[in-house]
Structure formats: structure tokens, C-alpha cells
Amino acid sequence: MTSVLQVISAADRWTLNDGTVHPSGYWAEEVAVPHRIFTEAGWDITIATPGGRAPTLDRLSLGLAGGTPGKRRAVEAYLEEIKDALDHPVALDSVDADDFDLVFYPGGHGPMEDLAYDATSGALLADRLASGRPLALLCHAPAAILAATGPDGASPFAGRRMTGLSNREELLNRFARKAPWLLEDRLKEAGVEYSKGLIPLRPHIVVDGGLYTGQNPQSSEKLAERLVADITAASSGAGR
């Protein structure tokens, strides 16, 4: 059975540059939709967070910013179905990413607060990238690569093709004008070959070898479906 390590931020806030705190956490669609698609594919999913703390849902992601009412209801219902797994994640420092066929990081502003500085996550990401095995990061989750360093001190993701939430999309949030930094800027500073879709808030994914990234919440379904298709195909080919 294909196994997935889903790494979710444990942060419940995003600290802005004036010291104020914006309540945050994970983005509902980015956790629920890929989890559902992976589950429907028959995959086994382990949820991990820093410290094994239960992740916090960003309530904004079930409001108008979360899409149509029908979509939000479906996402909320699915999160309720997997509530026990979300409430009892394993500690990130207790897992071996080599045991999993896919490592998947969903976003929300949470990763800007914790995973961007988490040494355990950074080491996991550096090792996973070097292995060439499937690694996927969605929306704000590429912030986690900022904690990864290579032997020379540079980012191991430098020169890799990636996407993530764009500055234009981030600044649609009024509070984001107080952001200490913007993801697109930091990815470029790390040497990433960043790209984004022509139209904001539309699905856009980038695949560079075993590295998969999605630009925004709207990319959740497309990214998960691409991962299922590619990993299933690779498994079928290996079995022949």
C-alpha cells in the first residue's frame, strides 16, 4: 500500500511585523482535499506535526475565502470525518520519511510561523529532496524549505523549479500588508526558480523531478490528482 506522510503546521497564529498576532493555522481545503483523494486511491496516511501537537484550523478557510458554500460544507464535513487523526498526530521528530512513498506538506499561514524555522522539518526536506523520492508542498507550505540547508550552508532547493502563493495573492489579504516577509520573495532569495500562473487564485502546479508544488488552495485537487497518477504509474512500472 502506498504510504503518505502529511506534515501539517502546529502553529495557531501568524505574528505580523508590528507585533500583532493574526489567528491562523492550516487551510482547510489544503488538508481535506488531498487527504480525501489519497484515501480514495487506497493510500495510507500518517499525519505529523512539530511536537505532535494537534493542528489548528484557520477559520477563515471555511469562510468566503474558502470557496463556494457547497465546497466549504464538503471540506468541513471531511475534516470532521478525519478529526481523530487530526487531533492525534505523531511527532515529526519521531518519524522516518524514508518509510513513506510520499511526503506532503499542506499550507495555510501556519508554516510561515513554525515550519519555516523548524530544524527537524528542514533536515527532513533536505534529505527527501536529495533522495529524489516524491515530495509535495502546497501554497504557503514551501515556506518550510527555508529551514533546509545543504552542506555548504546554501538552500538545497536553489535552482529547483517551484511555485507557492504569489505576492499578488498574499496581498489580497489586508492583514498581509503587515507581513514580516512574503513567500514569493523568500523563495526567490533562496535561489528557487519560482513561477506562478497568469491568473491569481487559479490552479497552477510545478513538477521538477520528484518535487511537486502547488501555488494556492485552488491547486489542491490538481496537485493531489497528479501525485496519485504519477506515483501509481511509477509503482505499476516497477511491478512489471
Side-chain angles (χ1 to χ4, degrees):
M1 178 183 291
T2 299
S3 57
V4 182
L5 177 64
Q6 189 172 38
V7 181
I8 305 178
S9 165
D12 63 0
R13 67 193 62 197
W14 186 25
T15 305
L16 304 177
N17 62 11
D18 63 354
T20 59
V21 170
H22 172 68
S24 189
Y26 69 84
W27 199 257
E29 178 180 2
E30 297 176 35
V31 168
V33 171
H35 193 288
R36 173 183 58 78
I37 290 171
F38 298 154
T39 298
E40 290 173 351
W43 294 3
D44 181 65
I45 304 167
T46 296
I47 294 174
T49 66
R53 298 186 297 277
T56 298
L57 169 67
D58 187 333
R59 299 305 305 181
L60 288 179
S61 63
L62 290 178
L64 292 177
T68 65
K71 180 180 184 178
R72 299 197 306 265
R73 285 194 296 270
V75 165
E76 186 171 21
Y78 189 81
L79 291 176
E80 184 62 28
E81 287 182 31
I82 62 171
K83 184 177 186 302
D84 187 63
L86 287 169
D87 286 348
H88 302 93
V90 302
L92 187 58
D93 63 3
S94 72
V95 298
D96 184 348
D98 289 341
D99 293 337
F100 297 88
D101 299 297
L102 169 65
V103 174
F104 179 83
Y105 279 61
H109 283 112
M112 307 277 277
E113 185 79 11
D114 63 353
L115 294 175
Y117 310 97
D118 189 286
T120 297
S121 174
L124 183 157
L125 289 169
D127 291 345
R128 187 70 180 192
L129 184 70
S131 77
R133 300 179 67 199
L135 167 64
L137 305 105
L138 177 59
C139 195
H140 285 98
I145 75 163
L146 301 177
T149 55
D152 60 356
S155 172
F157 289 84
R160 301 303 296 264
R161 293 183 292 108
M162 298 181 66
T163 189
L165 197 78
S166 69
N167 288 354
R168 185 177 176 187
E169 289 169 320
E170 185 71 88
L171 292 171
L172 293 174
N173 301 310
R174 285 181 298 174
F175 57 83
R177 299 188 183 279
K178 298 180 181 180
W181 46 271
L182 299 178
L183 180 60
E184 178 182 338
D185 292 340
R186 284 294 176 92
L187 292 179
K188 291 176 177 177
E189 289 168 7
V192 166
E193 291 187 18
Y194 175 87
S195 72
K196 57 189 173 186
L198 293 176
I199 303 174
L201 304 180
R202 293 287 188 88
H204 177 67
I205 65 172
V206 174
V207 180
D208 183 357
L211 176 62
Y212 295 72
T213 47
Q215 181 176 327
N216 44 37
Q218 293 78 11
S219 303
S220 301
E221 183 173 11
K222 186 176 181 180
L223 178 61
E225 289 177 343
R226 175 66 182 269
L227 287 162
V228 169
D230 287 0
I231 293 172
T232 300
S235 298
S236 298
R240 287 199 295 267

